[in-house]
């Protein structure tokens, strides 16, 4: 990938330029908790985006996507938004940098990525973080990593229509090889946890259903609205509740008749999930992978039945995992398709993968994909 980027850059834009890289992410547990002010527990992975950038002395950006074999040129004012969705991410990052007082002028760039699209591994956050980091560097702005993550998040909100939380961009910016990161999304306090399942006889593996259901972003935004309604109802009785994650389970009961059944179920899932992140971190500190795994199954149940962001294919993969004695398994990321994340004892790995492949293919007519998880570094210079 690096060589292809170098070659294309040289042929289109000549000498010079600096290479940057950023990463997709996994999340061990803590799903749909970020925009509720709760905890998440992600890590960056060895699949990401790489881009070469060079200031070009004009007021235009010339960007070439190697994956789409397409070049787009755009200006840096609000009305210059390109129509290609991949280019809107870069444009959004430029705009959000400028809105925060950062310097952004014209530049040339060639980029490519190897994060599977639609797999729930945050290819978009990888793209945003790569460019947020790179633009900060080439124009000598001094935004810190949190500000860069927020530039990516605001790009999603304002240029891509997804009212996402901070998890993906945070993981993509702060990722560190061999570590998961527990982030409190309300206070932004975070802690690195060395994570080496292999040393304890386990493997972490993703099974990609290769399905992406329509309307995922509007369904995502609706989940967020449900949570905000529930939090507002609880806050009337308990003013200290700013986010749903501040609420106790019994407080949710108190407003049961004031909110819809649907909002109640969504909130019930989130309050349980916030606690599960803490429980998993405690379990891992004791090297208790079985308890961590059991929590993952509970999360799957919640995401499927209460939060309703799973789908037939992912529920199927989850059941197969149970049958194959996999220690933990659940839908990962926003949901509505993508991957399950699975914590499996090494000696059960081969059987699980072959059974999952065969049964899934028989049932749905296409093979799932399998990715071993390698926890890696986040946004950085790549030279
Ligand atoms: C998507 C969003 C994140 C987070 C997850 C669910 O990946 O971008 O902010 O809400 O879904 O945990």
């Amino acid at each position: 990938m690096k060589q292809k980027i170098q070659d294309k850059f040289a042929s289109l834009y000549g000498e010079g330029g600096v290479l940057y890289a950023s990463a997709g992410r996994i999340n061990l547990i803590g799903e749909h908790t970020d925009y509720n002010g709760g905890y998440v527990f992600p890590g960056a992975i060895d699949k990401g985006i790489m881009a070469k950038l060079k200031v070009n002395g004009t007021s235009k950006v010339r960007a070439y996507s190697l994956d789409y074999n397409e070049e787009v040129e755009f200006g840096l004012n609000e009305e210059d938004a390109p129509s290609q969705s991949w280019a809107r991410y870069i444009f959004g990052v430029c705009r959000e940098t400028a809105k925060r007082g950062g310097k952004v002028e014209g530049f040339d760039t060639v980029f490519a990525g190897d994060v599977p699209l639609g797999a729930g591994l945050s290819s978009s956050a990888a793209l945003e973080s790569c460019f947020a980091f790179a633009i900060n560097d080439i124009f000598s702005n001094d935004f810190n990593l949190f500000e860069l993550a927020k530039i990516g998040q605001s790009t999603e909100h304002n240029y891509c229509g997804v009212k996402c939380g901070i998890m993906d961009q945070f993981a993509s910016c702060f990722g560190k090889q061999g570590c998961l990161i527990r982030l409190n999304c309300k206070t932004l306090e975070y802690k690195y946890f060395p994570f080496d399942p292999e040393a304890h006889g386990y493997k972490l593996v993703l099974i990609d259903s290769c399905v992406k259901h329509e309307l995922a972003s509007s369904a995502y935004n609706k989940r967020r609205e449900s949570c905000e309604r529930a939090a507002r109802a609880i806050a009337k009785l308990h003013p200290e509740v700013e986010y749903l994650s501040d609420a106790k389970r019994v407080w949710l009961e108190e407003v049961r008749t004031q909110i819809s059944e649907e909002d109640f179920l969504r909130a019930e899932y989130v309050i349980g999930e916030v606690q599960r992140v803490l429980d998993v971190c405690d379990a891992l500190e004791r090297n208790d992978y079985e308890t961590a795994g059991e929590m993952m199954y509970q999360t799957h149940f919640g995401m499927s039945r209460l939060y309703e962001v799973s789908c037939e294919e992912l529920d199927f993969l989850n059941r197969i995992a149970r049958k194959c004695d996999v220690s933990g398994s659940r839908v990962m990321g926003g949901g509505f398709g993508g991957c399950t994340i699975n914590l499996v004892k090494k000696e059960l790995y081969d059987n699980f993968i072959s059974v999952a492949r065969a049964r899934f293919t028989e049932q749905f007519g296409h093979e799932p994909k399998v990715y071993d998880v390698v926890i890696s570094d986040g946004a950085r210079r790549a030279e």
Side-chain angles (χ1 to χ4, degrees):
M1 180 154 90
K2 191 168 176 174
Q3 197 53 48
K4 278 193 185 160
I5 292 172
Q6 305 271 36
D7 294 347
K8 192 72 192 178
F9 193 94
S11 77
L12 287 176
Y13 310 125
E15 293 296 298
V18 184
L19 264 177
Y20 298 90
S22 176
R25 63 103 187 89
I26 54 119
N27 184 30
L28 191 65
I29 198 149
E31 223 63 87
H32 291 276
T33 46
D34 57 356
Y35 52 83
N36 286 304
Y39 290 96
V40 292
F41 198 30
I45 55 173
D46 62 339
K47 296 175 176 42
I49 295 280
M50 193 173 267
K52 187 163 199 174
L53 282 82
K54 183 173 76 173
V55 177
N56 65 16
T58 75
S59 56
K60 292 229 156 46
V61 173
R62 291 188 294 180
Y64 187 90
S65 159
L66 268 176
D67 301 318
Y68 289 93
N69 285 319
E70 190 177 21
E71 187 182 43
V72 171
E73 184 175 311
F74 55 83
L76 290 163
N77 298 315
E78 201 59 33
E79 62 276 15
D80 297 326
S83 56
Q84 289 83 348
S85 60
W86 63 263
R88 287 182 78 86
Y89 289 101
I90 304 174
F91 174 77
V93 168
C94 294
R95 292 295 308 149
E96 291 297 334
T97 301
K99 283 183 206 169
R100 288 163 175 76
K103 176 177 167 189
V104 189
E105 291 169 356
F107 60 89
D108 297 332
T109 181
V110 172
F111 75 98
D114 59 3
V115 188
L117 299 179
L121 297 174
S122 292
S123 53
S124 57
L127 182 56
E128 291 148 7
S129 308
C130 186
F131 278 92
F133 188 94
I135 289 169
N136 188 55
D137 198 49
I138 57 170
F139 293 108
S140 305
N141 293 320
D142 56 4
F143 294 115
N144 64 33
L145 283 179
F146 265 122
E147 290 166 323
L148 297 180
K150 285 182 182 165
I151 285 172
Q153 183 193 22
S154 305
T155 297
E156 293 280 348
H157 287 198
N158 300 328
Y159 298 92
C160 311
V162 184
K163 300 288 179 201
C164 64
I166 192 70
M167 171 170 74
D168 304 347
Q169 294 78 11
F170 168 81
S172 185
C173 286
F174 283 79
K176 187 158 131 186
Q177 196 180 356
C179 288
L180 296 180
I181 327 165
R182 186 181 69 196
L183 172 70
N184 177 329
C185 298
K186 184 176 171 181
T187 63
L188 296 184
E189 280 165 290
Y190 63 96
K191 181 178 169 193
Y192 287 99
F193 282 69
F195 180 68
D196 186 7
E198 302 256 348
H200 302 278
Y202 291 86
K203 279 171 90 77
L204 198 58
V205 60
L206 305 174
I207 309 227
D208 185 357
S209 64
C210 302
V211 297
K212 187 75 208 164
H213 291 283
E214 290 297 308
L215 300 176
S217 32
S218 63
Y220 180 96
N221 294 344
K222 274 193 186 161
R223 297 299 181 282
R224 182 170 183 151
E225 285 162 19
S226 280
C227 294
E228 287 168 356
R229 276 194 298 269
R232 276 198 300 274
I234 298 170
K236 285 194 189 138
L237 302 177
H238 302 279
E240 64 269 47
V241 171
E242 186 186 350
Y243 291 98
L244 191 50
S245 64
D246 300 324
K248 297 189 179 132
R249 180 70 174 73
V250 288
W251 296 355
L252 176 62
E253 285 301 338
E254 291 168 12
V255 299
R256 186 164 202 152
T257 56
Q258 292 158 40
I259 59 178
S260 70
E261 175 68 9
E262 189 175 276
D263 289 358
F264 180 87
L265 294 176
R266 307 297 191 239
E268 186 183 8
Y269 161 75
V270 169
I271 293 173
E273 182 71 354
V274 171
Q275 185 57 42
R276 279 191 288 273
V277 183
L278 297 175
D279 293 346
V280 163
C281 291
D282 286 350
L284 288 181
E285 281 185 325
R286 301 189 305 269
N287 293 322
D288 179 358
Y289 283 73
E290 290 303 306
T291 299
E294 204 41 54
M295 295 287 167
M296 293 166 74
Y297 279 111
Q298 285 182 22
T299 295
H300 187 86
F301 176 86
M303 287 179 82
S304 178
R305 306 293 174 78
L306 307 176
Y307 218 64
E308 295 182 287
V309 293
S310 185
C311 59
E312 206 191 326
E313 293 86 349
L314 294 167
D315 287 346
F316 186 85
L317 286 171
N318 186 258
R319 284 196 300 274
I320 292 186
R322 254 299 187 217
K323 284 192 189 133
C324 292
D325 288 330
V326 170
S327 303
S329 176
R330 66 175 193 82
V331 42
M332 192 186 72
F336 311 106
C339 291
T340 58
I341 180 166
N342 304 273
L343 184 65
V344 55
K345 284 197 179 125
K346 277 184 192 164
E347 63 270 24
L348 300 177
Y349 176 89
D350 288 343
N351 178 61
F352 169 51
I353 299 301
S354 68
V355 171
R357 261 211 181 99
R359 298 282 315 281
F360 187 93
T361 310
E362 194 181 290
Q363 182 78 13
F364 298 108
H366 68 269
E367 272 213 12
K369 290 193 179 132
V370 175
Y371 316 115
D372 289 327
V373 174
V374 180
I375 308 289
S376 307
D377 287 333
R380 61 198 181 276
R381 264 191 188 229
E383 284 172 305

